[in-house]
Amino acid sequence: MSSGEKFFRFMNSYSIYVILVVLMIACSLASPNFLTVQNLTNVSRQISITTIIAMAETILIIAGMIDLAAGAVLALAGVLSVATYVATGSLILALAVGAVVGVCCNSLSGLVVVKFKTPPFIATLAMQTAARGAALSYTGGQNIYRIGQYTIFGQGYIGPIPTPVIFMMAVVVLTWYILRHTRFGRHLYAVGGNEDAARASGVGIGHTKFIAYAVSGVFVGLAGVLYMSRNNAGLPNAGAGLEFDAMTAAIIGGTSFSGGVGTAMGTLAGGFIMGFLNNGMNLLGVHAYTQQIVRGAIIVLAVIWDVYSKQRRVSVDKPVEVKSTQA
C-alpha cells in the first residue's frame, strides 16, 4: 500500500476528529473566552437536542433512509408531554408520553415506507405536515405556559453537568452500542450498503427499516421533551428546520447519504463542530446572515468529501488484475 493510500485511509477514518481539534485550537486563539469551562458547558448544552436528533438521523441514513419530520414530531411529542405534566403533575409519565408519541409517529412513517414502498422522503414529508398540524390543532395554535417542575429536564443539573448533556451522552452511548454490538446494527449497515445483498443474506429488510424508524422515534420524542423544558413552554411551532441541522451534523460526522457508512462518535464530533463553529462566530461577532452562508458552505464541503471518499474507497479496494505471461 502506497503512502498516499495510507494517508487517505487515515483521513477517511479520523479526519472529523482532526478537524474538531483544529477548530478548537483556532477558536481558542481567536477568543480567550472559548476554552473556559462555562463556555464549553454552554456549547454542550446548546448542541444536546440537535445531537440527539442527529443520532436518530444517523441510524436512518446508515440504512439508506431519511426523516424530514423530526422537527414537527418533536413539537407534537413535546406539547403532548407538557400537557400530560400540567394535567397529572407526573414527570415520569410526561417523559414517557413524549417518547411514545415519537415512536408512534415514526413507526407510522416506517409502516408507510415498508408496506407501501413509499420513498422515505415522501412518507416523512407527509408526517411532517400531519404532525405539525396535530400540534397546532391540539393547542389551538397557542403556547402552553406555567409548566412548573417540568423545566428540570432541560434546565436542571446533576452535579456540574446540565441534564440535557447527560441525556445526550446517554443517547450517544446507546446509539454506539446499537451500531457496534447488535445484530440490528449490522443489519442497518447491510441494508444501507447493498439492499439486494442484504436480502440474499437473509436480512429482514422491512423489519430492519421499521425498527430503525421506531428507535429514531424514541430519540425524537425525548428531544421534544428537552426542547419544551429548556424553553419553559409547550411550543407547537417548535423545531422547524431542526431536522436539517441534525442531518448536517450527521453528514459532517461522516455518515454517508448513500447509506452503509456512519458512526455515533462521528456524528457526536459533527455536532460539536457545528456547535463550536457557531459559538466561535458568535464570540467574534460574525453577522447571523454570514453564519448561514458559512454553514451552507460546510454542508457542501461535507457532501463533496463524502462523494470523493466513496469513489476513492472503490478505487483503493478494487482488486488489481495480474496478467500471466508464458515464456
mmCIF file of all heavy atoms in Angstrom, residues 58-111:
data_model
loop_
_atom_site.group_PDB
_atom_site.id
_atom_site.type_symbol
_atom_site.label_atom_id
_atom_site.label_comp_id
_atom_site.label_asym_id
_atom_site.label_seq_id
_atom_site.Cartn_x
_atom_site.Cartn_y
_atom_site.Cartn_z
ATOM 1 N N THR A 58 -28.805 9.531 11.988
ATOM 2 C CA THR A 58 -27.676 8.651 11.656
ATOM 3 C C THR A 58 -28.141 7.217 11.465
ATOM 4 O O THR A 58 -27.752 6.540 10.499
ATOM 5 C CB THR A 58 -26.608 8.725 12.766
ATOM 6 O OG1 THR A 58 -26.087 10.056 12.844
ATOM 7 C CG2 THR A 58 -25.465 7.754 12.487
ATOM 8 N N ILE A 59 -28.960 6.736 12.389
ATOM 9 C CA ILE A 59 -29.484 5.367 12.279
ATOM 10 C C ILE A 59 -30.237 5.186 10.968
ATOM 11 O O ILE A 59 -30.061 4.176 10.271
ATOM 12 C CB ILE A 59 -30.387 5.053 13.488
ATOM 13 C CG1 ILE A 59 -29.535 4.910 14.752
ATOM 14 C CG2 ILE A 59 -31.203 3.787 13.243
ATOM 15 C CD1 ILE A 59 -30.351 4.733 16.017
ATOM 16 N N LEU A 60 -31.060 6.159 10.608
ATOM 17 C CA LEU A 60 -31.856 6.049 9.392
ATOM 18 C C LEU A 60 -31.012 6.192 8.136
ATOM 19 O O LEU A 60 -31.175 5.435 7.167
ATOM 20 C CB LEU A 60 -32.961 7.109 9.393
ATOM 21 C CG LEU A 60 -34.049 6.924 10.446
ATOM 22 C CD1 LEU A 60 -34.965 8.137 10.492
ATOM 23 C CD2 LEU A 60 -34.857 5.665 10.182
ATOM 24 N N ILE A 61 -30.094 7.154 8.123
ATOM 25 C CA ILE A 61 -29.275 7.387 6.935
ATOM 26 C C ILE A 61 -28.361 6.203 6.672
ATOM 27 O O ILE A 61 -28.122 5.828 5.512
ATOM 28 C CB ILE A 61 -28.476 8.697 7.080
ATOM 29 C CG1 ILE A 61 -29.433 9.895 7.139
ATOM 30 C CG2 ILE A 61 -27.515 8.875 5.910
ATOM 31 C CD1 ILE A 61 -28.763 11.215 7.450
ATOM 32 N N ILE A 62 -27.819 5.601 7.719
ATOM 33 C CA ILE A 62 -26.992 4.412 7.537
ATOM 34 C C ILE A 62 -27.776 3.325 6.804
ATOM 35 O O ILE A 62 -27.232 2.604 5.955
ATOM 36 C CB ILE A 62 -26.485 3.891 8.898
ATOM 37 C CG1 ILE A 62 -25.385 4.815 9.436
ATOM 38 C CG2 ILE A 62 -25.948 2.451 8.773
ATOM 39 C CD1 ILE A 62 -24.923 4.459 10.829
ATOM 40 N N ALA A 63 -29.066 3.221 7.114
ATOM 41 C CA ALA A 63 -29.920 2.216 6.470
ATOM 42 C C ALA A 63 -30.472 2.698 5.136
ATOM 43 O O ALA A 63 -31.347 2.041 4.557
ATOM 44 C CB ALA A 63 -31.063 1.833 7.396
ATOM 45 N N GLY A 64 -30.002 3.831 4.643
ATOM 46 C CA GLY A 64 -30.436 4.335 3.351
ATOM 47 C C GLY A 64 -31.748 5.077 3.381
ATOM 48 O O GLY A 64 -32.418 5.190 2.349
ATOM 49 N N MET A 65 -32.136 5.610 4.531
ATOM 50 C CA MET A 65 -33.408 6.320 4.656
ATOM 51 C C MET A 65 -33.167 7.727 5.196
ATOM 52 O O MET A 65 -32.033 8.165 5.332
ATOM 53 C CB MET A 65 -34.356 5.533 5.553
ATOM 54 C CG MET A 65 -34.680 4.144 5.026
ATOM 55 S SD MET A 65 -35.805 3.200 6.076
ATOM 56 C CE MET A 65 -34.778 2.930 7.536
ATOM 57 N N ILE A 66 -34.266 8.414 5.498
ATOM 58 C CA ILE A 66 -34.178 9.795 5.960
ATOM 59 C C ILE A 66 -35.449 10.130 6.726
ATOM 60 O O ILE A 66 -36.473 9.456 6.575
ATOM 61 C CB ILE A 66 -34.000 10.761 4.754
ATOM 62 C CG1 ILE A 66 -33.513 12.128 5.204
ATOM 63 C CG2 ILE A 66 -35.292 10.876 3.965
ATOM 64 C CD1 ILE A 66 -33.167 13.046 4.041
ATOM 65 N N ASP A 67 -35.380 11.179 7.549
ATOM 66 C CA ASP A 67 -36.557 11.629 8.295
ATOM 67 C C ASP A 67 -36.658 13.142 8.204
ATOM 68 O O ASP A 67 -35.870 13.858 8.817
ATOM 69 C CB ASP A 67 -36.465 11.185 9.752
ATOM 70 C CG ASP A 67 -37.699 11.599 10.559
ATOM 71 O OD1 ASP A 67 -38.697 12.009 9.933
ATOM 72 O OD2 ASP A 67 -37.670 11.507 11.800
ATOM 73 N N LEU A 68 -37.629 13.622 7.438
ATOM 74 C CA LEU A 68 -37.853 15.058 7.316
ATOM 75 C C LEU A 68 -38.865 15.575 8.326
ATOM 76 O O LEU A 68 -39.148 16.769 8.361
ATOM 77 C CB LEU A 68 -38.353 15.392 5.905
ATOM 78 C CG LEU A 68 -37.391 15.098 4.755
ATOM 79 C CD1 LEU A 68 -38.022 15.492 3.431
ATOM 80 C CD2 LEU A 68 -36.069 15.825 4.942
ATOM 81 N N ALA A 69 -39.417 14.674 9.126
ATOM 82 C CA ALA A 69 -40.484 15.058 10.050
ATOM 83 C C ALA A 69 -39.986 15.263 11.478
ATOM 84 O O ALA A 69 -40.804 15.523 12.372
ATOM 85 C CB ALA A 69 -41.583 13.990 10.053
ATOM 86 N N ALA A 70 -38.692 15.161 11.710
ATOM 87 C CA ALA A 70 -38.185 15.176 13.081
ATOM 88 C C ALA A 70 -38.587 16.443 13.837
ATOM 89 O O ALA A 70 -38.995 16.375 15.001
ATOM 90 C CB ALA A 70 -36.667 15.018 13.082
ATOM 91 N N GLY A 71 -38.483 17.606 13.199
ATOM 92 C CA GLY A 71 -38.832 18.844 13.888
ATOM 93 C C GLY A 71 -40.306 18.914 14.263
ATOM 94 O O GLY A 71 -40.660 19.329 15.365
ATOM 95 N N ALA A 72 -41.180 18.489 13.353
ATOM 96 C CA ALA A 72 -42.618 18.528 13.622
ATOM 97 C C ALA A 72 -43.014 17.488 14.665
ATOM 98 O O ALA A 72 -43.847 17.755 15.541
ATOM 99 C CB ALA A 72 -43.400 18.298 12.325
ATOM 100 N N VAL A 73 -42.429 16.291 14.580
ATOM 101 C CA VAL A 73 -42.719 15.258 15.579
ATOM 102 C C VAL A 73 -42.209 15.691 16.943
ATOM 103 O O VAL A 73 -42.856 15.440 17.976
ATOM 104 C CB VAL A 73 -42.101 13.913 15.159
ATOM 105 C CG1 VAL A 73 -42.232 12.876 16.268
ATOM 106 C CG2 VAL A 73 -42.772 13.396 13.881
ATOM 107 N N LEU A 74 -41.055 16.353 16.973
ATOM 108 C CA LEU A 74 -40.542 16.920 18.229
ATOM 109 C C LEU A 74 -41.572 17.854 18.847
ATOM 110 O O LEU A 74 -41.825 17.805 20.061
ATOM 111 C CB LEU A 74 -39.233 17.655 17.954
ATOM 112 C CG LEU A 74 -38.598 18.482 19.084
ATOM 113 C CD1 LEU A 74 -37.069 18.479 18.942
ATOM 114 C CD2 LEU A 74 -39.081 19.943 19.064
ATOM 115 N N ALA A 75 -42.178 18.715 18.025
ATOM 116 C CA ALA A 75 -43.174 19.668 18.536
ATOM 117 C C ALA A 75 -44.399 18.949 19.085
ATOM 118 O O ALA A 75 -44.888 19.270 20.173
ATOM 119 C CB ALA A 75 -43.578 20.641 17.424
ATOM 120 N N LEU A 76 -44.907 17.964 18.340
ATOM 121 C CA LEU A 76 -46.099 17.233 18.786
ATOM 122 C C LEU A 76 -45.804 16.457 20.065
ATOM 123 O O LEU A 76 -46.594 16.500 21.032
ATOM 124 C CB LEU A 76 -46.577 16.283 17.687
ATOM 125 C CG LEU A 76 -47.795 15.424 18.029
ATOM 126 C CD1 LEU A 76 -48.998 16.296 18.381
ATOM 127 C CD2 LEU A 76 -48.126 14.487 16.871
ATOM 128 N N ALA A 77 -44.687 15.738 20.096
ATOM 129 C CA ALA A 77 -44.325 14.968 21.288
ATOM 130 C C ALA A 77 -44.120 15.896 22.482
ATOM 131 O O ALA A 77 -44.534 15.592 23.609
ATOM 132 C CB ALA A 77 -43.063 14.149 21.026
ATOM 133 N N GLY A 78 -43.504 17.046 22.229
ATOM 134 C CA GLY A 78 -43.227 17.985 23.316
ATOM 135 C C GLY A 78 -44.480 18.592 23.914
ATOM 136 O O GLY A 78 -44.626 18.639 25.139
ATOM 137 N N VAL A 79 -45.401 19.053 23.070
ATOM 138 C CA VAL A 79 -46.601 19.704 23.615
ATOM 139 C C VAL A 79 -47.507 18.686 24.325
ATOM 140 O O VAL A 79 -48.116 19.009 25.358
ATOM 141 C CB VAL A 79 -47.396 20.450 22.520
ATOM 142 C CG1 VAL A 79 -46.575 21.586 21.953
ATOM 143 C CG2 VAL A 79 -47.864 19.514 21.415
ATOM 144 N N LEU A 80 -47.569 17.460 23.809
ATOM 145 C CA LEU A 80 -48.374 16.442 24.487
ATOM 146 C C LEU A 80 -47.729 16.033 25.812
ATOM 147 O O LEU A 80 -48.434 15.752 26.791
ATOM 148 C CB LEU A 80 -48.553 15.218 23.586
ATOM 149 C CG LEU A 80 -49.447 15.432 22.357
ATOM 150 C CD1 LEU A 80 -49.505 14.175 21.502
ATOM 151 C CD2 LEU A 80 -50.857 15.851 22.778
ATOM 152 N N SER A 81 -46.406 16.035 25.846
ATOM 153 C CA SER A 81 -45.708 15.734 27.091
ATOM 154 C C SER A 81 -45.965 16.837 28.125
ATOM 155 O O SER A 81 -46.247 16.557 29.296
ATOM 156 C CB SER A 81 -44.205 15.595 26.825
ATOM 157 O OG SER A 81 -43.486 15.434 28.026
ATOM 158 N N VAL A 82 -45.862 18.086 27.681
ATOM 159 C CA VAL A 82 -46.130 19.214 28.588
ATOM 160 C C VAL A 82 -47.570 19.166 29.096
ATOM 161 O O VAL A 82 -47.838 19.345 30.297
ATOM 162 C CB VAL A 82 -45.866 20.556 27.870
ATOM 163 C CG1 VAL A 82 -46.399 21.718 28.704
ATOM 164 C CG2 VAL A 82 -44.381 20.741 27.624
ATOM 165 N N ALA A 83 -48.511 18.905 28.192
ATOM 166 C CA ALA A 83 -49.922 18.833 28.586
ATOM 167 C C ALA A 83 -50.156 17.717 29.596
ATOM 168 O O ALA A 83 -50.954 17.864 30.531
ATOM 169 C CB ALA A 83 -50.799 18.621 27.347
ATOM 170 N N THR A 84 -49.457 16.604 29.420
ATOM 171 C CA THR A 84 -49.576 15.496 30.365
ATOM 172 C C THR A 84 -49.091 15.900 31.743
ATOM 173 O O THR A 84 -49.727 15.589 32.766
ATOM 174 C CB THR A 84 -48.779 14.277 29.863
ATOM 175 O OG1 THR A 84 -49.305 13.856 28.599
ATOM 176 C CG2 THR A 84 -48.856 13.129 30.857
ATOM 177 N N TYR A 85 -47.958 16.618 31.783
ATOM 178 C CA TYR A 85 -47.436 17.044 33.087
ATOM 179 C C TYR A 85 -48.373 18.046 33.752
ATOM 180 O O TYR A 85 -48.631 17.968 34.966
ATOM 181 C CB TYR A 85 -46.050 17.663 32.937
ATOM 182 C CG TYR A 85 -45.543 18.198 34.255
ATOM 183 C CD1 TYR A 85 -45.086 17.335 35.235
ATOM 184 C CD2 TYR A 85 -45.576 19.567 34.523
ATOM 185 C CE1 TYR A 85 -44.656 17.825 36.467
ATOM 186 C CE2 TYR A 85 -45.152 20.064 35.739
ATOM 187 C CZ TYR A 85 -44.697 19.173 36.715
ATOM 188 O OH TYR A 85 -44.288 19.655 37.927
ATOM 189 N N VAL A 86 -48.896 19.004 32.982
ATOM 190 C CA VAL A 86 -49.814 20.002 33.536
ATOM 191 C C VAL A 86 -51.060 19.324 34.110
ATOM 192 O O VAL A 86 -51.592 19.732 35.150
ATOM 193 C CB VAL A 86 -50.194 21.031 32.456
ATOM 194 C CG1 VAL A 86 -51.306 21.943 32.949
ATOM 195 C CG2 VAL A 86 -48.975 21.852 32.050
ATOM 196 N N ALA A 87 -51.495 18.244 33.443
ATOM 197 C CA ALA A 87 -52.722 17.566 33.885
ATOM 198 C C ALA A 87 -52.489 16.620 35.053
ATOM 199 O O ALA A 87 -53.370 16.448 35.911
ATOM 200 C CB ALA A 87 -53.325 16.787 32.715
ATOM 201 N N THR A 88 -51.307 15.990 35.130
ATOM 202 C CA THR A 88 -51.077 14.946 36.135
ATOM 203 C C THR A 88 -50.019 15.299 37.162
ATOM 204 O O THR A 88 -50.001 14.733 38.251
ATOM 205 C CB THR A 88 -50.659 13.633 35.445
ATOM 206 O OG1 THR A 88 -49.370 13.814 34.828
ATOM 207 C CG2 THR A 88 -51.672 13.229 34.386
ATOM 208 N N GLY A 89 -49.099 16.194 36.814
ATOM 209 C CA GLY A 89 -48.000 16.517 37.725
ATOM 210 C C GLY A 89 -46.927 15.449 37.778
ATOM 211 O O GLY A 89 -46.013 15.521 38.605
ATOM 212 N N SER A 90 -46.977 14.449 36.887
ATOM 213 C CA SER A 90 -46.013 13.354 36.889
ATOM 214 C C SER A 90 -44.938 13.587 35.833
ATOM 215 O O SER A 90 -45.223 13.590 34.622
ATOM 216 C CB SER A 90 -46.723 12.022 36.619
ATOM 217 O OG SER A 90 -45.770 10.978 36.453
ATOM 218 N N LEU A 91 -43.698 13.752 36.283
ATOM 219 C CA LEU A 91 -42.588 13.936 35.352
ATOM 220 C C LEU A 91 -42.305 12.651 34.569
ATOM 221 O O LEU A 91 -42.011 12.695 33.366
ATOM 222 C CB LEU A 91 -41.335 14.364 36.109
ATOM 223 C CG LEU A 91 -41.350 15.782 36.703
ATOM 224 C CD1 LEU A 91 -40.134 15.997 37.586
ATOM 225 C CD2 LEU A 91 -41.379 16.826 35.584
ATOM 226 N N ILE A 92 -42.389 11.514 35.233
ATOM 227 C CA ILE A 92 -42.105 10.240 34.581
ATOM 228 C C ILE A 92 -43.131 9.967 33.479
ATOM 229 O O ILE A 92 -42.776 9.566 32.363
ATOM 230 C CB ILE A 92 -42.100 9.092 35.604
ATOM 231 C CG1 ILE A 92 -40.942 9.285 36.593
ATOM 232 C CG2 ILE A 92 -41.983 7.739 34.898
ATOM 233 C CD1 ILE A 92 -40.895 8.241 37.685
ATOM 234 N N LEU A 93 -44.401 10.206 33.794
ATOM 235 C CA LEU A 93 -45.447 9.989 32.796
ATOM 236 C C LEU A 93 -45.285 10.952 31.625
ATOM 237 O O LEU A 93 -45.469 10.558 30.459
ATOM 238 C CB LEU A 93 -46.824 10.169 33.434
ATOM 239 C CG LEU A 93 -48.035 9.903 32.525
ATOM 240 C CD1 LEU A 93 -47.992 8.478 31.991
ATOM 241 C CD2 LEU A 93 -49.343 10.155 33.293
ATOM 242 N N ALA A 94 -44.921 12.187 31.905
ATOM 243 C CA ALA A 94 -44.724 13.173 30.841
ATOM 244 C C ALA A 94 -43.580 12.762 29.927
ATOM 245 O O ALA A 94 -43.675 12.873 28.695
ATOM 246 C CB ALA A 94 -44.442 14.544 31.449
ATOM 247 N N LEU A 95 -42.492 12.263 30.519
ATOM 248 C CA LEU A 95 -41.358 11.794 29.722
ATOM 249 C C LEU A 95 -41.758 10.600 28.861
ATOM 250 O O LEU A 95 -41.400 10.514 27.682
ATOM 251 C CB LEU A 95 -40.196 11.428 30.642
ATOM 252 C CG LEU A 95 -38.901 10.956 29.975
ATOM 253 C CD1 LEU A 95 -38.307 12.065 29.112
ATOM 254 C CD2 LEU A 95 -37.887 10.516 31.037
ATOM 255 N N ALA A 96 -42.528 9.687 29.457
ATOM 256 C CA ALA A 96 -42.968 8.503 28.727
ATOM 257 C C ALA A 96 -43.881 8.877 27.568
ATOM 258 O O ALA A 96 -43.774 8.307 26.472
ATOM 259 C CB ALA A 96 -43.684 7.542 29.673
ATOM 260 N N VAL A 97 -44.770 9.831 27.788
ATOM 261 C CA VAL A 97 -45.678 10.264 26.722
ATOM 262 C C VAL A 97 -44.881 10.846 25.550
ATOM 263 O O VAL A 97 -45.177 10.558 24.374
ATOM 264 C CB VAL A 97 -46.692 11.289 27.249
ATOM 265 C CG1 VAL A 97 -47.411 11.995 26.098
ATOM 266 C CG2 VAL A 97 -47.707 10.609 28.149
ATOM 267 N N GLY A 98 -43.873 11.656 25.841
ATOM 268 C CA GLY A 98 -43.052 12.215 24.768
ATOM 269 C C GLY A 98 -42.402 11.137 23.931
ATOM 270 O O GLY A 98 -42.422 11.187 22.694
ATOM 271 N N ALA A 99 -41.830 10.126 24.602
ATOM 272 C CA ALA A 99 -41.179 9.034 23.885
ATOM 273 C C ALA A 99 -42.183 8.215 23.075
ATOM 274 O O ALA A 99 -41.924 7.853 21.920
ATOM 275 C CB ALA A 99 -40.431 8.139 24.874
ATOM 276 N N VAL A 100 -43.335 7.932 23.665
ATOM 277 C CA VAL A 100 -44.349 7.111 22.983
ATOM 278 C C VAL A 100 -44.895 7.830 21.747
ATOM 279 O O VAL A 100 -45.079 7.210 20.691
ATOM 280 C CB VAL A 100 -45.498 6.758 23.948
ATOM 281 C CG1 VAL A 100 -46.671 6.151 23.186
ATOM 282 C CG2 VAL A 100 -45.009 5.784 25.012
ATOM 283 N N VAL A 101 -45.134 9.141 21.857
ATOM 284 C CA VAL A 101 -45.624 9.894 20.709
ATOM 285 C C VAL A 101 -44.589 9.863 19.581
ATOM 286 O O VAL A 101 -44.933 9.679 18.401
ATOM 287 C CB VAL A 101 -45.949 11.349 21.097
ATOM 288 C CG1 VAL A 101 -46.257 12.191 19.860
ATOM 289 C CG2 VAL A 101 -47.123 11.383 22.063
ATOM 290 N N GLY A 102 -43.321 10.015 19.936
ATOM 291 C CA GLY A 102 -42.266 9.939 18.924
ATOM 292 C C GLY A 102 -42.229 8.586 18.244
ATOM 293 O O GLY A 102 -42.108 8.486 17.014
ATOM 294 N N VAL A 103 -42.352 7.522 19.026
ATOM 295 C CA VAL A 103 -42.350 6.168 18.471
ATOM 296 C C VAL A 103 -43.543 5.961 17.549
ATOM 297 O O VAL A 103 -43.415 5.407 16.446
ATOM 298 C CB VAL A 103 -42.359 5.112 19.598
ATOM 299 C CG1 VAL A 103 -42.601 3.720 19.027
ATOM 300 C CG2 VAL A 103 -41.044 5.139 20.360
ATOM 301 N N CYS A 104 -44.719 6.395 17.974
ATOM 302 C CA CYS A 104 -45.933 6.203 17.168
ATOM 303 C C CYS A 104 -45.830 6.930 15.835
ATOM 304 O O CYS A 104 -46.157 6.359 14.778
ATOM 305 C CB CYS A 104 -47.155 6.686 17.941
ATOM 306 S SG CYS A 104 -47.590 5.649 19.363
ATOM 307 N N CYS A 105 -45.385 8.174 15.865
ATOM 308 C CA CYS A 105 -45.282 8.948 14.620
ATOM 309 C C CYS A 105 -44.262 8.331 13.669
ATOM 310 O O CYS A 105 -44.549 8.132 12.476
ATOM 311 C CB CYS A 105 -44.905 10.391 14.931
ATOM 312 S SG CYS A 105 -46.196 11.360 15.745
ATOM 313 N N ASN A 106 -43.087 8.007 14.176
ATOM 314 C CA ASN A 106 -42.054 7.461 13.304
ATOM 315 C C ASN A 106 -42.375 6.037 12.874
ATOM 316 O O ASN A 106 -42.019 5.627 11.763
ATOM 317 C CB ASN A 106 -40.691 7.521 13.990
ATOM 318 C CG ASN A 106 -40.022 8.879 13.819
ATOM 319 O OD1 ASN A 106 -40.712 9.888 13.696
ATOM 320 N ND2 ASN A 106 -38.707 8.901 13.800
ATOM 321 N N SER A 107 -43.057 5.279 13.727
ATOM 322 C CA SER A 107 -43.460 3.930 13.328
ATOM 323 C C SER A 107 -44.468 3.993 12.183
ATOM 324 O O SER A 107 -44.436 3.149 11.277
ATOM 325 C CB SER A 107 -44.064 3.178 14.522
ATOM 326 O OG SER A 107 -43.092 2.945 15.519
ATOM 327 N N LEU A 108 -45.345 4.993 12.235
ATOM 328 C CA LEU A 108 -46.294 5.160 11.137
ATOM 329 C C LEU A 108 -45.559 5.501 9.839
ATOM 330 O O LEU A 108 -45.897 4.971 8.770
ATOM 331 C CB LEU A 108 -47.295 6.261 11.481
ATOM 332 C CG LEU A 108 -48.400 6.523 10.447
ATOM 333 C CD1 LEU A 108 -49.186 5.249 10.167
ATOM 334 C CD2 LEU A 108 -49.326 7.629 10.940
ATOM 335 N N SER A 109 -44.545 6.358 9.933
ATOM 336 C CA SER A 109 -43.729 6.653 8.752
ATOM 337 C C SER A 109 -43.043 5.389 8.249
ATOM 338 O O SER A 109 -43.002 5.128 7.040
ATOM 339 C CB SER A 109 -42.678 7.718 9.089
ATOM 340 O OG SER A 109 -43.272 8.959 9.402
ATOM 341 N N GLY A 110 -42.492 4.606 9.182
ATOM 342 C CA GLY A 110 -41.833 3.365 8.797
ATOM 343 C C GLY A 110 -42.787 2.380 8.151
ATOM 344 O O GLY A 110 -42.435 1.685 7.192
ATOM 345 N N LEU A 111 -44.021 2.325 8.652
ATOM 346 C CA LEU A 111 -45.023 1.430 8.089
ATOM 347 C C LEU A 111 -45.351 1.822 6.652
ATOM 348 O O LEU A 111 -45.471 0.958 5.763
ATOM 349 C CB LEU A 111 -46.287 1.467 8.942
ATOM 350 C CG LEU A 111 -47.423 0.512 8.541
ATOM 351 C CD1 LEU A 111 -46.984 -0.929 8.721
ATOM 352 C CD2 LEU A 111 -48.673 0.794 9.376
#
